[in-house]
Amino acid sequence: MKWKLPDDSTAPVITAEEHVKSRHIKKESCMLPETCVIFEIGMALKFVEANFKTITLLETLPCFLEGYECISIEGHEGVCFTRGGYGAPAAVDTLETVRALGVKRVIVVGMCGGFSDSINVCNVLIPHKILCEEGTSFHYFDNIEFVEPDRSLYNKGRAYFSNAFEVLTDDAVTSDAFYRQTYAKEAKWREKGCVAVDMESSALLSVSKYYSIPAVSILLCSDKHPLSENDVKWDWGNLGFKETREEFVRQSVNFALQL
Ligand SMILES: O=P(O)(O)O[C@H]1O[C@H](CO)[C@@H](O)[C@H]1O
Ligand SMILES: O=c1cc[nH]c(=O)[nH]1
């Protein structure tokens, strides 16, 4: 895929910096703190509001697509929390928007589907590198296969989450097409060293890299894929998954606050 023109020095027609001040936005925005946790988990913001003393910074993040609330925690005004859109283009819209509002460091907290013997539901995966099988990255880089997280955030994440979870650091893949994860496709991903799939991480890491923003992706394994057509059929979560996901969100908040 060669979608990014190799010698294109022209500016984008719409930039997030211009968009957040445009007529497309109903309310004026404020600048955000340097560190942003982007949750790719639907229940996360509500859980944070119910379990921490939060401050609403923005009721709606001024994204081009749908934007969610952006909050911080009393006494920790250097970190903000929002929900990213689902899928690579919407997630990158969130990233571009928080960057336009001053964010300089990003922690992605999401979920992944495991497709290897080595990973189980409720494990935490902090991928060493992520295979880009989504389209968004290829508009920022003309040649990219695997993208890596910021080494310091990756090391800190490994150390921190190991206190509460079984942590894996194998590679992952981000795909646009969750209904096209065929058995043969997942076998090919395993051959490349990947153990799990999500829908946003590689795009968020590659666009962070494009802007020199340190970023890491921290994923809770939400479902285990059958490895062959004879295995037990696919299903979501497990018996304790709801409570584990809540603990994962709580630990993600605490991780970001102590950085
Ligand atoms: O909205 P929640 O329940 O977090 O789930 C989201 O996460 C899954 C993919 O990670 C999809 O099912 C999507 O709906
Ligand atoms: O993107 C995702 C997330 C969880 N499980 C999957 O199979 N894919």
Side-chain angles (χ1 to χ4, degrees):
M1 272 177 297
K2 291 282 178 200
W3 294 336
K4 179 180 177 292
L5 303 177
D7 48 6
D8 187 357
S9 58
T10 65
V13 174
I14 316 172
T15 66
E17 285 85 350
E18 289 157 343
H19 177 257
V20 299
K21 296 183 199 136
S22 74
R23 278 192 308 227
H24 191 213
I25 298 306
K26 287 167 200 79
K27 262 193 174 172
E28 211 174 291
S29 302
C30 61
M31 291 304 280
L32 297 176
E34 290 213 347
T35 301
C36 181
V37 175
I38 299 180
F39 285 116
E40 295 292 348
I41 301 179
M43 49 66 77
L45 281 187
K46 276 205 176 68
F47 178 83
V48 177
E49 286 177 320
N51 290 278
F52 294 84
K53 283 194 174 158
T54 57
I55 301 165
T56 301
L57 302 176
L58 288 169
E59 274 167 30
T60 309
L61 196 68
C63 292
F64 192 73
L65 306 172
E66 189 176 8
Y68 297 92
E69 199 183 1
C70 188
I71 61 178
S72 68
I73 291 174
E74 273 184 33
H76 299 277
E77 281 78 13
V79 186
C80 63
F81 302 83
T82 193
R83 176 175 163 184
Y86 285 155
V92 165
D93 181 19
T94 307
L95 173 61
E96 286 266 16
T97 303
V98 297
R99 176 187 167 269
L101 298 177
V103 165
K104 293 187 169 50
R105 179 162 70 166
V106 166
I107 298 150
V108 181
V109 175
M111 295 186 287
C112 61
F115 54 75
S116 157
D117 276 330
S118 64
I119 187 165
N120 286 305
V121 172
C122 295
N123 289 167
V124 168
L125 178 65
I126 309 182
H128 187 258
K129 57 185 191 314
I130 308 180
L131 180 63
C132 301
E133 287 211 8
E134 33 72 31
T136 307
S137 292
F138 293 87
H139 289 277
Y140 289 79
F141 291 97
D142 53 17
N143 192 4
I144 190 166
E145 189 184 17
F146 281 91
V147 62
E148 292 182 13
D150 173 74
R151 273 305 132 206
S152 166
L153 286 175
Y154 165 84
N155 286 329
K156 286 176 181 167
R158 282 174 66 176
Y160 190 89
F161 281 86
S162 299
N163 294 319
F165 294 91
E166 187 173 338
V167 174
L168 280 70
T169 55
D170 304 74
D171 299 341
V173 55
T174 299
S175 167
D176 282 333
F178 43 87
Y179 288 138
R180 284 302 296 161
Q181 296 168 192
T182 63
Y183 289 96
K185 186 76 208 186
E186 295 201 347
K188 276 270 177 260
W189 285 339
R190 273 192 294 280
E191 277 173 31
K192 285 185 177 247
C194 301
V195 301
V197 58
D198 84 337
M199 298 167 58
E200 296 89 12
S201 288
S202 67
L204 288 168
L205 292 195
S206 53
V207 176
S208 296
K209 180 177 162 172
Y210 182 83
Y211 288 119
S212 302
I213 291 175
V216 66
S217 184
I218 302 171
L219 303 169
L220 181 69
C221 181
S222 54
D223 51 304
K224 176 83 181 256
H225 299 185
L227 304 188
S228 80
E229 297 190 56
N230 304 322
D231 274 2
V232 180
K233 286 265 171 232
W234 175 88
D235 205 352
W236 179 262
N238 64 14
L239 228 48
F241 180 67
K242 188 170 171 282
E243 290 71 28
T244 304
R245 182 164 64 173
E246 289 179 352
E247 186 55 20
F248 177 63
V249 171
R250 186 193 307 280
Q251 295 291 346
S252 302
V253 171
N254 290 335
F255 171 64
L257 297 186
Q258 56 81 59
L259 276 174

